[in-house]
């Protein structure tokens, strides 16, 4: 408490614990946001058990598995970059941040091709092929596009965030004594990862 | 003491039960507020006393309201239970809602714009919508039920008095939501039978027209 | 406490920016509070006008001044504006921003820049809502609840309205997040949780509801948008989706949202009553914990808005039961407030009148909530004007009067000016009479079977609608009296220097009117609870001289 009293607002007031608390709360809201989607998923899975089963077979499990590995690795690299900056190794930290971004990019490219193939086969919301299928399958693919799309959006936001962090690290605004922002970005990235860990079995594995 | 339908007694009972309790409590609270404001007014120059609280009082005014609301819940619930479970011999009528009119179809295929029912006979209405949500509301009978495109809701009632009552649409459904009125016409048994005979004859006369088959889930 | 006469007030200091930028780029919590106040008052004026026009239309059956389509858009916009732009941000964003840091002895909120971002999001969302009115297709006509399938079938501009509500939700989340961290991390030395003023407690509970419930409405409205754009089928019954699922998701947020609206108002009342009784609050801990209880139980009763859709019997029973239980914490608060008046030294200045008005009107609103929670009765009065009366009593008689109370209470502190007390009291009585004349007939009509969202009505309801419309004129008169009183005070040249006009013991009354930029010259150390009135005799003497 006393540290706060000493500072004035004119200075930039710094409270790492407060920042972390704020970030955790934010991640919490993100989880609730996806929680809403998972709720919708659960309800429809229950209503259309058989059709979900059929539809899930059309997804390519190996592409999904590859993407899971990519994201897990990227979670590791972002942790490594935080460890590096703590040890005051700026170069290594930036290197790992860039690696994270490259992996994320790989994830997106993979996703792009996956969607592209689906769309090529005429499976997208409102398409004739899809409307010809049963209600449950329409909803399965609706959910598939909405949820993986929303997740991909988070991946993109995460990449942008890490890019800014890399800039800060190079300029020295993130350093071995002040790295709470990089930590926050890392937390965000773990969230993106965790959500995928849920999406992957729900869409690709449980058939 | 039944007027329009069987539900009235329990609904009115629960309503006035809660209203009375509320009225007594509200009067009590209001009286205390006004009384204190005058009695302990600052103009009288008396010193205020700092009272921090009283656990016994807190318990009293937690437990008593809990008991009261449980009673309210119970009263509301028994009336609802009654509404939910139709007797086995109920006469079934299919109700179709669409923007912005009601259609009633009887088991013999007769269709009408107003609902005709015989007095003192349990009626079960099966509710369907062709487009958006509506709600089948008979204020005089004290109930309503939502009418939705993907669910088959139903509700039952026992019209107890001969007469004409309004049917309103209670779920907002667009431009003419407020004009989506119809009537329920409760007739004595013989009049009802005569009416139905007449309708059936009319229908058979024009039976070249095929009845429209409606699949509510596929309608846009 | 200190004579800070030389510190520049938050209204006068010069920062990096000048002119309007000194305001809309300011990260000072007090300036942001005022920004919110001005913006929300503007939207409030629009919302009130729409309400007034609706009442004019309903003065007689049939067409009076507008067609049905216009009426339908009006109540939609009226609802959206009042809920998302006015009562939800009203107390937390205006008075929470302004006073939360001061009340806990801090210089600002934890994340000042995030705070400014919240305001910008709020403005962005509001602009989008305004734009939707002027785009071809016309304003949304779905009601503020956006029920599916109508909301994905109508051709009006539902999408901008949905996105607007989505953005406003995020603004609200960020404010809540900011407040939680502020309360946890920024309290002055000695300010333990149980020495916090009850307004802070209520903001704390509110902030948790904001964080937990708002994301759900965010994703739900987004899904409706996606449904309209791409037809993914998640809610559309024609594609196998379930409109009832939409209703669940909507109310999972929107029921807790009503507690976002009422909790801060209850906090304000808990500040005002002890100060104007000049004695400590009765049952501090019970009031504090009942806020948390409301936040907790309030998140489990959402389906009482859906009793008529045909849920399972078990669900009906559980939701009805919980609805009744959620009333208990409110009851505890009301009883403790009344007990606080006992053996006090009561001054009937305008803030107290508004606080007592709140208790009376909120109780009527709450009791009628109980009536609606009874299953069999709900079958009859659901979606009638009974409901409309209920929520105006709680939202306007409750939250609205809470906001008025707060305005009268903190006005001298915020602006260093004082309004005319006589006029303020007259304004209160006119508002109070107008309010009941406007809304009470709606209870009667609702019970007699007048459905809501009705452009036209049967002749038998005419008399009630007529009384109600006349009530709206009285109400607006009261509103005009109140606001001209404030404006006159703001424009007067005499500054008001008494820093503690009501004899409060919380921290805002220890700093100058128009608080300086950093609130406190020296961060205070707290040694006692917020309502320990020790100076009884001296204060009384000053009053009576
Ligand atoms: C500020 C907003 C606010 C608040 C605080 C409340 C509070 C409550 N509301 Fe309300 N409500 C709304 C805003 C609010 N509501 C809105 C906007 C709608 C309609 C939405 C729409 O459809 O557009 C609505 C609709 C609504 C419905 C659905 C009606 C329908 O559509 O069919 C129900 C049903 O149960 C309900 C119940 C309650 C209850 C039980 C409380 C309780 O929390 C009240 C508790 C308070 C008291 C009970 C009074 C004080 C206590 C005492 C004086 C002590 C004595 C007490 C006892 C004996 C218990 N409300
Ligand atoms: C807080 C919310 C709020 C407020 C204040 C009001 C104010 C008014 N409302 Fe309300 N109303 C709603 C929320 C609100 N309304 C909602 C959610 C609906 C449902 C919409 C729907 O069905 O989708 C509705 C629906 C509704 C209907 C029903 C429409 C229908 O079903 O057909 C009617 C009809 O008369 C009506 C009338 C009015 C009138 C005349 C006013 C006002 O004009 C009265 C005048 C207002 C005042 C005198 C002042 C209030 C002041 C404050 C609250 C605080 C000031 C704060 C600061 C200065 C910071 N409203
Ligand atoms: Cu049909 Cu309203
Ligand atoms: Cu509710």
């Amino acid at each position: 408490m006393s540290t706060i009293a000493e500072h004035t607002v004119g200075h930039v007031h710094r409270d790492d614990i407060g920042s972390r608390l704020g970030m955790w709360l934010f991640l919490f809201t993100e989880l609730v946001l996806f929680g809403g989607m998972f709720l919708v998923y659960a309800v429809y899975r229950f209503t259309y058990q058989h059709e979900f089963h059929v539809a899930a077979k059309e997804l390519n499990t190996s592409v999904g598995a590859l993407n899971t590995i990519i994201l897990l690795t990227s979670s590791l690299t972002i942790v490594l970059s935080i460890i590096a900056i703590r040890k005051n190794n700026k170069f290594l930290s930036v290197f790992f941040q860039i690696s994270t971004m490259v992996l994320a990019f790989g994830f997106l490219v993979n996703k792009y091709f996956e969607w592209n193939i689906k769309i090529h086969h005429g499976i997208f919301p409102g398409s004739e092929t899809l409307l010809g299928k049963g209600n449950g399958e329409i909803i399965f693919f609706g959910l598939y596009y909405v949820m993986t799309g929303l997740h991909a959006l988070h991946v993109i936001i995460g990449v942008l965030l890490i890019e800014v962090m890399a800039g800060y690290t190079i300029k020295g605004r993130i350093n071995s004594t002040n790295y709470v922002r990089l930590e926050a970005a890392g937390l965000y990235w773990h969230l993106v990862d965790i959500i995928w860990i849920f999406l992957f079995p729900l869409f690709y594995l449980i058939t | 003491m039944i007027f329009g339908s069987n539900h009235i007694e329990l609904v009115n009972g629960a309503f006035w039960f809660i209203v009375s309790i509320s009225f007594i409590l509200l009067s009590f609270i209001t009286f205390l507020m006004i009384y204190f404001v005058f009695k302990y007014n600052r103009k009288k120059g008396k010193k205020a006393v700092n009272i921090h609280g009283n656990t016994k009082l807190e318990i009293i005014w937690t437990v008593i309201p809990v008991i009261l609301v449980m009673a309210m819940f119970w009263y509301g619930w028994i009336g609802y239970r009654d509404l939910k479970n139709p007797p086995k011999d109920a006469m079934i009528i299919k109700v179709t809602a669409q923007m912005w009119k009601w259609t009633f179809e009887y088991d013999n295929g007769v269709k009408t714009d107003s609902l005709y029912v015989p007095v003192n006979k349990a009626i079960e209405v099966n509710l369907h919508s062709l487009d958006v949500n509506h709600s089948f509301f008979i204020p005089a009978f004290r109930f309503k039920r939502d009418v939705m495109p993907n669910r088959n809701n139903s509700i039952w009632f026992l019209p107890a008095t001969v007469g004409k009552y309004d049917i309103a649409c209670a779920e907002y459904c667009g431009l003419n939501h407020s004009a989506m009125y119809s009537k329920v016409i409760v007739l004595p048994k013989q009049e009802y039978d005569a009416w139905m005979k007449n309708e059936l004859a009319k229908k058979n006369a024009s039976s070249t027209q095929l009845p429209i088959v409606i699949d509510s889930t596929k309608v846009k | 406490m200190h004579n800070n006469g030389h510190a520049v007030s938050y209204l006068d200091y010069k920062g990096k920016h000048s002119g309007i930028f000194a305001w809309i780029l300011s990260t000072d919590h007090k300036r942001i509070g005022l920004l919110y106040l001005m913006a929300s008052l503007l939207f409030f004026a629009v919302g009130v006008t729409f309400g007034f026009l609706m009442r004019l239309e309903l003065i007689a059956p049939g067409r009076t001044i507008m067609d049905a389509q216009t009426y339908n858009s009006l109540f939609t916009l009226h609802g959206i504006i009042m809920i998302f732009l006015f009562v939800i941000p009203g107390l937390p964003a205006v008075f929470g921003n302004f006073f939360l840091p001061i009340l806990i002895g801090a210089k600002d909120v934890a994340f000042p820049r995030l705070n400014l971002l919240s305001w910008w999001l709020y403005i962005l969302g509001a602009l989008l809502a305004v734009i939707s009115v002027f785009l071809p297709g016309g304003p949304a006509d779905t009601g503020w609840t956006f029920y599916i399938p109508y909301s994905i079938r109508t051709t009006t501009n539902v999408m901008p309205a949905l996105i607007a509500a989505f953005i406003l939700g995020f603004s609200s989340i960020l404010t809540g997040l900011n407040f939680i961290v502020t309360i946890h991390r920024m309290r002055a030395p000695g300010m333990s949780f149980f020495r916090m003023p009850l307004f802070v407690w209520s903001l704390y509970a509110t902030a948790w509801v904001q964080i937990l419930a708002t994301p759900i409405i965010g994703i739900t409205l987004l899904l409706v948008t996606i449904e309209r754009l791409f037809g993914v089928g998640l809610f559309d019954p024609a594609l196998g989706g379930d409109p009832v699922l939409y209703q669940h998701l909507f109310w999972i947020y929107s029921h807790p949202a009503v507690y976002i609206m009422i909790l801060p108002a209850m906090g304000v009342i808990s500040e005002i009553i002890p100060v104007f009784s000049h004695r400590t609050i009765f049952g501090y801990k019970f009031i504090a914990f009942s806020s948390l209880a409301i936040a907790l139980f309030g998140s489990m009763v959402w389906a009482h808005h859906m009793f008529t859709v045909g849920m399972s019997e078990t669900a009906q029973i559980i939701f009805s039961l919980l609805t009744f239980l959620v009333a208990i914490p409110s009851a505890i608060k009301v009883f403790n407030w009344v007990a606080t008046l006992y053996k006090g030294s009561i001054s009937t200045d305008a803030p107290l009148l508004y606080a007592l008005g709140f208790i009376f009107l909120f109780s009527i609103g709450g009791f009628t909530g109980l009536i609606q929670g009874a299953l069999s009765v709900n079958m009859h009065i659901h979606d009638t004007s009974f409901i409309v009366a209920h929520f105006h009593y709680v939202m306007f008689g409750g939250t609205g009067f809470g906001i008025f109370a707060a305005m009268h209470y903190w006005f001298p502190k915020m602006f260093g000016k004082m309004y005319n007390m006589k006029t303020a009291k007259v304004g209160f009585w006119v508002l109070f009479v107008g309010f009941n004349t406007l809304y009470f007939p709606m209870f009667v009509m609702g019970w007699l079977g007048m459905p809501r969202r009705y452009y036209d009505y049967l002749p038998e309801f005419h008399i009630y609608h007529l009384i109600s419309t006349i009530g709206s004129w009285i109400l607006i008169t009261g509103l005009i009296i109140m606001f001209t009183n404030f404006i006159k005070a703001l424009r007067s040249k005499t500054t008001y220097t008494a820093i503690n006009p009501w004899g409060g013991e919380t921290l805002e009354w220890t700093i100058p009117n128009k608080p300086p930029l950093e609130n406190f010259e020296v961060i205070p150390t707290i040694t006692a609870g917020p309502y320990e009135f020790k100076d009884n005799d001296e204060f009384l003497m000053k009053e009576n001289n």
Side-chain angles (χ1 to χ4, degrees), chain C residues 23-24 30-40 116 119:
Chain C
W23 284 86
I24 60 175
K30 299 181 287 302
R31 286 199 172 187
I32 294 178
L34 275 203
L35 285 177
Y36 269 115
L37 180 66
M38 278 173 307
S40 58
L116 185 62
W119 185 77

Side-chain angles (χ1 to χ4, degrees), chain C residues 85-159:
Chain C
L85 293 176
F86 180 65
V87 274
I88 291 187
L91 275 161
V94 178
F95 294 97
N97 257 324
F98 201 107
F99 286 105
L100 168 67
I102 301 181
L103 285 169
I104 60 172
K107 298 197 166 186
D108 206 321
V109 292
F111 309 113
R113 275 186 299 180
L114 192 67
N115 202 9
L116 185 62
L117 177 68
S118 303
W119 185 77
W120 275 105
L121 285 177
Y122 172 80
I123 291 298
L124 186 70
L127 281 181
L128 214 62
V130 172
I131 289 171
S132 81
V133 176
F134 298 105
L135 288 177
D141 64 339
T142 57
W144 80 282
T145 46
F146 300 110
Y147 269 17
I148 282 187
Y150 187 73
S151 62
I152 52 174
R153 300 270 189 275
T154 175
T155 53
T156 53
N157 290 312
V158 178
M159 274 216 322

Side-chain angles (χ1 to χ4, degrees), chain A residues 1 4 9 15 28 44 48, chain C residues 107 185 187 212 234 240 242:
Chain A
M1 247 353 81
I4 295 167
V9 186
D15 173 12
F28 201 53
Y44 287 130
Y48 297 108
Chain C
K107 298 197 166 186
R185 301 292 305 159
R187 279 169 290 130
L212 288 175
L234 297 189
D242 187 2

Side-chain angles (χ1 to χ4, degrees), chain B residues 21-22 25-26 29 61 64-66 68-69 72 144, chain C residues 83 87 144-145 147 250-251 254-255 257-263 266 294 301-308 319-320 322-335 337 359 361-374 377-379 381-384 386-388 390-396 398-399 452-453:
Chain B
I21 293 181
S22 303
L25 280 172
L26 183 69
I29 290 166
W61 65 46
I64 292 181
V66 169
L68 288 176
V69 294
M72 295 174 189
K144 69 172 62 64
Chain C
I83 291 200
V87 274
W144 80 282
T145 46
Y147 269 17
F250 182 85
W251 290 114
S254 292
H255 181 82
V258 310
Y259 297 115
I260 297 179
M261 305 169 204
I262 201 69
L263 278 170
M266 292 169 153
I294 291 181
V301 303
W302 72 86
H304 66 203
H305 297 270
M306 307 162 53
F307 282 148
T308 58
F319 281 113
S320 173
L322 287 172
T323 298
F324 281 105
L325 288 179
V326 82
I328 302 300
S330 302
I332 293 175
K333 277 186 203 273
V334 169
F335 292 131
W337 289 327
I359 297 181
L361 298 174
F362 170 74
S363 294
I364 295 186
F367 284 130
T368 51
L370 297 176
I371 297 176
Q372 292 162 194
V377 185
N378 187 279
M379 293 301 120
I381 59 180
H382 170 71
D383 266 342
T384 63
F386 196 95
I387 312 296
V388 179
H390 158 72
F391 65 68
H392 282 96
Y393 265 86
V394 276
M395 289 205 290
F396 178 12
T399 312
R452 68 188 275 206
R453 294 174 174 166

Side-chain angles (χ1 to χ4, degrees), chain B residues 100 133-134 169 171-173 177 180:
Chain B
W100 293 275
N133 300 343
H134 305 269
C169 174
E171 183 65 60
Y172 176 68
C173 56
H177 163 58
M180 201 165 150

